[in-house]
Amino acid sequence: MIIGIVGGRLQGMEVVYLCRHAGYTSLVIDKDSKAPALSLADRREVCDILNEPERARELFSKCDAVIPALEELEVLEFLSRIVPECGVPLLFDIDAYRISSSKELSNRLMERIGTPVPLPWPECGFPIIVKPSSQSGSVGVSAVRNEEERQKALRIVEKLNDIPIQQEFVSGKSVSIEVIGNGEVCRSFVTTEVVLDSNYDCKQVVCEDHVLPPKDEAQFVKIGKELGENIGLNGIMDVEAIYTKKGLRVLEIDARIPSQTPACICAATGINLLEELVCARLGTEPRSEHHSGCAIYEHYIIRGDAIYTCGEKEFAYVQEPCYLEDFWGADEVITDFRTGRYEWRATVICTGATYQDALWKKKQFIRNVMDNCELEEYIDRTPEMM
């Protein structure tokens, strides 16, 4: 099976990884010849699909399914028109995406169906989070402790020509769950813990049994299913929440293939969300064998005499990465390491039967990198406000 992947950056790298583990052939299409997923793919094409529509049609017609791995609305709308005309399934729901890509619209949805969410400003008081309605990830997000910082955060959102969302700053474990739907019925999958760097960008994902207590896990599964079915999801989305002392508080939903969490889930459990998505669309059964286990997925940058943990935005600068197994003690690595290179990046996956097993491998990897590259420091930064 050939999966056409439109977009060769972080999400594209994620889908290539999932293709590899599902036994699918990956075809990455990107207009940038230096997009990092191109060097990981089985097949690659440099194509600006908006300006080369006939060539795009030709490429899509050779695929068994196409999935967007980007968040440019013009491209997503183009794919939603053109791919079905080629007689090929598009693994994406543009209508659900329009709702989820607006925090204003998705907050209204969650309020309507009773999803537990952070309190709005000014009802909540400080500290708060100020974020743009339509940006992805941590773009334009500010943690705010007073009125002066709030005004500064509002100006940041204004420069993005976006609408500010102001909510209670909730502290606790950051968690995510993926949901797949067929337009009518949705299924929630595995909860993961998402660990942030000092810029509130994801640097690590942990997948293990009991990320949440059983009662809260059941609630999160229900929340994901309800949200998916209320937007008529015909594709995949993730639900992000904070597990506070008072329970779950849902932050946002994103109706597109996530980066980071699917790879971690696949490594820990054998559940391949791309395969699940393909089978949901085609009405077939997944072939992957599922199991219980743990995986730690983490981004690193090696610069000078130190190894740093880093968020996905920093890792995105990786150049011509390759996929390696059993690299310096880690099970799987995506990296642009070259002998003698002053600066390089790596996404590292360590697995085990338990969290402690995976953590031991992670520590061994760090020690091996420091020894082999003669590094002096390991630096792991965390957010100022947690």
Side-chain angles (χ1 to χ4, degrees), residues 52-352:
E52 302 175 79
E54 291 309 312
R55 186 169 171 226
R57 287 175 183 272
E58 182 182 348
L59 292 172
F60 298 151
S61 297
K62 296 177 181 177
C63 299
D64 296 293
V66 172
I67 184 167
L70 39 65
E71 297 184 55
E72 298 171 32
L73 185 58
E74 186 180 6
V75 176
L76 295 173
E77 290 174 339
F78 173 82
L79 292 172
S80 297
R81 292 194 310 271
I82 298 301
V83 174
E85 291 177 4
C86 297
V88 177
L90 180 66
L91 307 177
F92 178 73
D93 183 341
I94 187 68
D95 294 326
Y97 180 80
R98 286 195 177 99
I99 295 172
S100 74
S101 62
S102 166
K103 294 179 180 65
E104 185 179 27
L105 292 178
S106 55
N107 283 349
R108 286 182 199 165
L109 166 68
M110 290 188 277
E111 181 180 352
R112 177 171 61 82
I113 67 174
T115 305
V117 296
L119 292 172
W121 167 266
E123 180 181 341
C124 58
F126 292 115
I128 64 172
I129 287 288
V130 178
K131 54 189 176 183
S133 174
S134 303
Q135 303 297 316
S136 177
S138 60
V139 174
V141 177
S142 302
V144 169
R145 291 166 290 196
N146 53 53
E147 181 61 23
E148 181 181 353
E149 291 181 357
R150 189 176 80 91
Q151 293 301 323
K152 180 180 178 181
L154 292 174
R155 288 193 292 272
I156 291 172
V157 176
E158 184 180 1
K159 288 180 180 178
L160 293 170
N161 295 315
D162 212 331
I163 298 169
I165 303 297
Q166 304 177 75
Q167 290 180 321
E168 170 189 17
F169 182 97
V170 288
S171 61
K173 182 184 289 187
S174 180
V175 292
S176 176
I177 196 166
E178 276 67 42
V179 181
I180 291 176
N182 63 6
E184 297 179 359
V185 179
C186 290
R187 175 188 172 190
S188 297
F189 284 82
V190 180
T191 298
T192 53
E193 179 179 3
V194 177
V195 183
L196 307 180
D197 73 353
S198 56
N199 295 315
Y200 297 92
D201 195 16
C202 177
K203 67 178 179 182
Q204 182 191 92
V205 178
V206 178
C207 182
E208 61 172 331
D209 291 336
H210 312 307
V211 168
L212 293 172
K215 181 179 178 181
D216 298 289
E217 173 72 18
Q219 183 192 15
F220 204 20
V221 166
K222 182 181 177 184
I223 286 170
K225 179 177 171 64
E226 287 179 346
L227 285 168
E229 291 176 355
N230 270 275
I231 63 174
L233 178 68
N234 189 13
I236 186 169
M237 76 175 193
D238 69 339
V239 183
E240 299 175 21
I242 301 293
Y243 181 56
T244 75
K245 292 180 180 179
K246 297 181 180 180
L248 289 162
R249 295 293 182 269
V250 176
L251 301 183
E252 60 182 64
I253 58 176
D254 290 298
R256 45 80 177 127
I257 186 75
S259 58
Q260 307 174 99
T261 49
C264 190
I265 290 168
C266 185
T269 69
I271 297 172
N272 189 315
L273 292 173
L274 176 64
E275 183 183 24
E276 296 283 349
L277 181 59
V278 168
C279 291
R281 180 58 58 87
L282 300 182
T284 57
E285 291 295 322
R287 295 180 300 173
S288 298
E289 294 183 5
H290 301 171
H291 54 82
S292 178
C294 174
I296 300 174
Y297 169 113
E298 193 157 22
H299 302 300
Y300 297 94
I301 177 169
I302 291 75
R303 181 185 290 134
D305 60 0
I307 175 172
Y308 305 80
T309 57
C310 69
E312 62 173 342
K313 287 185 178 59
E314 176 64 48
F315 175 74
Y317 291 103
V318 67
Q319 299 177 19
E320 296 184 350
C322 61
Y323 171 85
L324 301 171
E325 294 181 346
D326 193 20
F327 179 70
W328 282 344
D331 292 286
E332 300 175 283
V333 176
I334 295 171
T335 182
D336 59 0
F337 166 78
R338 304 290 186 273
T339 301
R341 180 173 282 185
Y342 173 83
E343 179 176 304
W344 53 279
R345 291 164 173 79
T347 293
V348 177
I349 300 176
C350 296
T351 65

Side-chain angles (χ1 to χ4, degrees), residues 21-34:
H21 285 271
Y24 299 157
T25 297
S26 57
L27 166 61
V28 172
I29 304 166
D30 198 292
K31 64 182 180 181
D32 181 3
S33 63
K34 296 183 179 179

